[in-house]
Amino acid sequence: MATTFTSVYHSGGREDQYLGTWKIVECVSLAGTVDTTGIEGSEFHLDDSGDVSWKVADDVDAMPFFNSDTYEILFPPGKMNSDQLKFFGTLAEHVIEFNVEISGELMLLTCDRCCMLQCQKVSTDYSKGDCHYTFGRALDEGYFSDLVITAESGHQFQVHSLILGLSCPEMDWWHTPPPLTGIREDVLGTLLHYLYTECLPKGLSEETVKVCIKTVGTLPGMDNFIKLCNAFLKNTALRQQIVNLIGDMHTSADRIIEMFKCKKTPITPGTIPEDALAANPPRLCYIMKQAAREAAIASSKFVLLCDLFARRSGELPQEERHEIIRYARSRLPIFVKQLKEFFESFKYQMSFVGPNEKQEIATYILPEVETLFSMVTKFTEEFKAALNKAITKNISDKEKGEEKGEKHKHVKDVLGKTLRHVLHVRELKKLKFMHDTASKKFESAFEKLDRFNRKPNAEKIIRVSLIIDELKDREAPMLVGRVEQLALVLEEKFKWRQWKYLFKLGSSKVAWAVNKMCCYKATLASSIQQMVEMVHKDEFTASLTSLGLYSADKPQDGETPSQPDRTTASYAHLSSVESLCVPPLARNSKLAKRSIDLLKKGQKTDMMFEIIIVHDVGDTVIDHTHGGEPVARTDDRDVDVHQIPAHRVILASRCNWFCRALLSGMRESIDKKITVHDTNPEVFNLFLEYLYSGQVRVEGCTTEQLSDLLTLADRYEVRTLTVSVSSY
């Protein structure tokens, strides 16, 4: 792993040429023919944090790499044309690898035994300066309100028929009384916040959201609001589930530490404290069994957390995935501290173990050790059997897939089938490698276990005593030192990008293993049942049940146990809570699209811009009437006055300068007119279109026009427009 990251971060700047958005323009088979696969036009964006995002048409067949959310670029030392791009997080821990040839704006991706994808870099500068689109300020401050909606409590909300009509044109906002009148105040506030911002307000309670769903269930035009509310309920439950899993792991660790703590100190040097476990071997054996149970619970919670993240994180926006990973990272120092505290307590307890105590402890522990050995032996045998079944099934599926592929060949499906075939072969190799490795290790372990079992009890006790000596004199002190070193490594070496990659990799591997165990759980059933009985804790049993590894309902004789549906596990769908409370970007906002349409049609306006253009004597007057109507001259001066109608509430919400001018009580607010000099209607209309839509398209504009647009952005303090125009 260290080598991988070294190759990425010491690439001499070569990674920068990969960053940005790439469009797949052509798919070429390894035979040299151009195939129409349907993925042409799909785009992927590589950012500098190691994340990849995809933009794919709805009717495109799903490709394995479309589910990837992480990428990695490897730069072999001394080889300038041997780069490798890996898309990670595709199919349950699979990594799809492409060899890369890149030249300027072109990139050729070659997948082994599959195809070549020719990609073209595309500009994404339009997104610079793009901000969240909202009219929330108008709702909060109530300026230019022309409508009042009264809640059940009597509280009145000052609102705007113009904005409500843009947000939900299906309702008759001019009806008396207006829609939503008389409903609960918190529900009405939530609904109005959504209508002005296209998102939910922060700090919502589950009870309020449930009432919202019930209240607006039959109202027209509120489908997206209902969708957000349902997502909120699922996300809140899931969020709490993630926090609870990590909290449960901390709790189990605290319980184990508490078991091994020695609360009293020796009365005299060389004596054993009254509550030292070494003074009470039966209690020590009991505590060790209880600690093992707690460790099993913590481990099951960890597996559940990894499985949950790996299976549902794809439904999350990028920032929400990152938030979960950051939260997990923030808990690491606490886990390390708990681990260190445990080993220090264990080391202190072992320091009181003398020759007599050691012999007695070994005598008590021996039956537990034999039981554990028996269970491990049984589990390994069943695990090998499950691996054999998995390998046999994969070979059978591969042959069936090849036979089916020969009968039903469609050019459109070639790429997807070939990629899945590559992944299938790779998984088969992995299973075979695991089987061979496990077989060798199991044989060695079985030999040792067999030799141990053949020994008389007296020799077994001596052997256990030697293990206790090893723990007391060497392992316990060494483990404390290793934990301290681990804390330093996590702090210094595992920066954000490495940690994010490792977290995704680890959770994906765990999820893959769980999935395979679920597929063959009938083979592992007796071992899992024995584990459940040995741990004998409801939390452990519940975790295995949630993972699909255990079912309390035993099948009847001759009945095949049903396999769990891993795609509909008992998890809530993972989607963000925070992202539901953030207004959409302008390019995704329905309010923005409807607002710019309103400007272009000139409907429901309540103010006017006057663009004053002064011409030198003798100049030919040019008609600058784009978006406005000319006004006849009233004197002999070469002055043109062009009027552009607009909407005060939209301008005040989208521009602080206009908000101050229109609310100041000065001439602009009284006359509902703003006079503009030193520009022309064409450029000023571009400026207004940005305020209304949140986006600006300046292709075809001259340098002078761009300069004038920047001047307007500076004059009226619209910094996001400055960023957008400067990016061209």
Side-chain angles (χ1 to χ4, degrees), residues 389-636:
K389 283 189 176 182
I391 292 170
T392 303
K393 184 178 185 302
N394 267 34
I395 292 174
S396 175
D397 289 347
K398 177 175 176 290
E399 291 172 348
K400 290 178 181 178
E402 290 174 349
E403 182 180 349
K404 184 178 179 181
E406 288 297 323
K407 293 180 179 179
H408 306 282
K409 278 193 174 180
H410 300 284
V411 175
K412 185 177 180 181
D413 300 331
V414 167
L415 180 58
K417 289 180 178 178
T418 308
L419 279 173
R420 289 181 178 86
H421 174 76
V422 170
L423 295 176
H424 193 91
V425 172
R426 189 176 298 168
E427 180 169 288
L428 182 58
K429 289 181 178 179
K430 184 194 302 184
L431 290 170
K432 287 182 176 179
F433 175 79
M434 288 177 60
H435 181 272
D436 294 341
T437 303
S439 296
K440 292 177 182 177
K441 291 186 178 295
F442 292 160
E443 287 174 7
S444 175
F446 287 155
E447 289 179 6
K448 294 179 181 179
L449 288 175
D450 186 56
R451 288 198 299 269
F452 180 83
N453 288 329
R454 287 202 302 265
K455 294 180 183 295
N457 279 354
E459 290 189 29
K460 290 180 181 178
I461 291 173
I462 292 173
R463 181 59 185 162
V464 174
S465 298
L466 292 175
I467 294 174
I468 294 173
D469 279 336
E470 185 75 7
L471 285 173
K472 171 187 173 183
D473 300 329
R474 184 170 177 271
E475 292 297 330
M478 185 184 297
L479 287 171
V480 173
R482 285 178 177 173
V483 171
E484 292 175 346
Q485 186 179 11
L486 174 63
L488 292 174
V489 169
L490 291 175
E491 182 67 26
E492 295 177 3
K493 293 187 177 181
F494 285 87
K495 302 302 181 184
W496 166 241
R497 182 166 178 173
Q498 295 97 320
W499 167 252
K500 180 178 64 174
Y501 179 86
L502 289 175
F503 185 88
K504 290 182 178 181
L505 178 66
S507 60
S508 185
K509 284 182 177 293
V510 170
W512 179 83
V514 170
N515 184 63
K516 288 302 172 188
M517 291 178 70
C518 283
C519 291
Y520 304 99
K521 75 171 186 176
T523 306
L524 301 169
S526 59
S527 291
I528 293 175
Q529 179 65 38
Q530 191 173 357
M531 278 189 234
V532 170
E533 292 171 356
M534 285 187 68
V535 175
H536 199 58
K537 292 283 187 179
D538 291 341
E539 289 180 85
F540 180 77
T541 305
S543 295
L544 293 187
T545 302
S546 295
L547 290 166
L549 293 172
Y550 177 75
S551 175
D553 299 326
K554 296 183 179 179
Q556 301 295 325
D557 292 340
E559 181 183 349
T560 302
S562 60
Q563 300 299 329
D565 183 359
R566 302 290 295 159
T567 61
T568 56
S570 58
Y571 307 133
H573 279 270
L574 198 60
S575 183
S576 68
V577 172
E578 279 76 9
S579 65
L580 301 176
C581 303
V582 177
L585 292 173
R587 63 178 180 270
N588 301 322
S589 170
K590 291 182 179 178
L591 274 176
K593 292 180 176 64
R594 291 169 181 171
S595 295
I596 190 63
D597 288 342
L598 194 68
L599 174 68
K600 292 178 178 179
K601 293 176 182 177
Q603 297 174 341
K604 301 177 182 178
T605 60
D606 59 359
M607 68 161 292
M608 190 71 66
F609 284 102
E610 285 192 348
I611 314 300
I612 308 298
I613 305 174
V614 180
H615 301 278
D616 293 335
V617 177
D619 282 354
T620 301
V621 177
I622 301 173
D623 183 13
H624 296 287
T625 59
H626 178 73
E629 296 183 1
V631 177
R633 296 178 182 174
T634 59
D635 52 37
D636 294 331

Side-chain angles (χ1 to χ4, degrees), residues 241 245 298-310 510 514 539 542-548 570-571:
Q241 185 180 10
L245 285 171
S299 299
S300 68
K301 301 288 186 181
F302 173 76
V303 173
L304 197 57
L305 177 64
C306 291
D307 189 68
L308 172 63
F309 180 83
V510 170
V514 170
E539 289 180 85
S543 295
L544 293 187
T545 302
S546 295
L547 290 166
S570 58
Y571 307 133

Side-chain angles (χ1 to χ4, degrees), residues 253-254 256-257 260-261 332-348 475-488 490:
D254 284 334
I256 295 172
I257 292 168
F260 282 91
K261 271 189 175 178
L332 270 181
I334 302 175
F335 280 115
V336 171
K337 182 180 178 182
Q338 289 179 313
L339 194 59
K340 182 181 178 182
E341 190 175 355
F342 164 72
F343 283 127
E344 286 178 341
S345 299
F346 181 75
K347 175 185 173 183
Y348 184 69
E475 292 297 330
M478 185 184 297
L479 287 171
V480 173
R482 285 178 177 173
V483 171
E484 292 175 346
Q485 186 179 11
L486 174 63
L488 292 174
L490 291 175

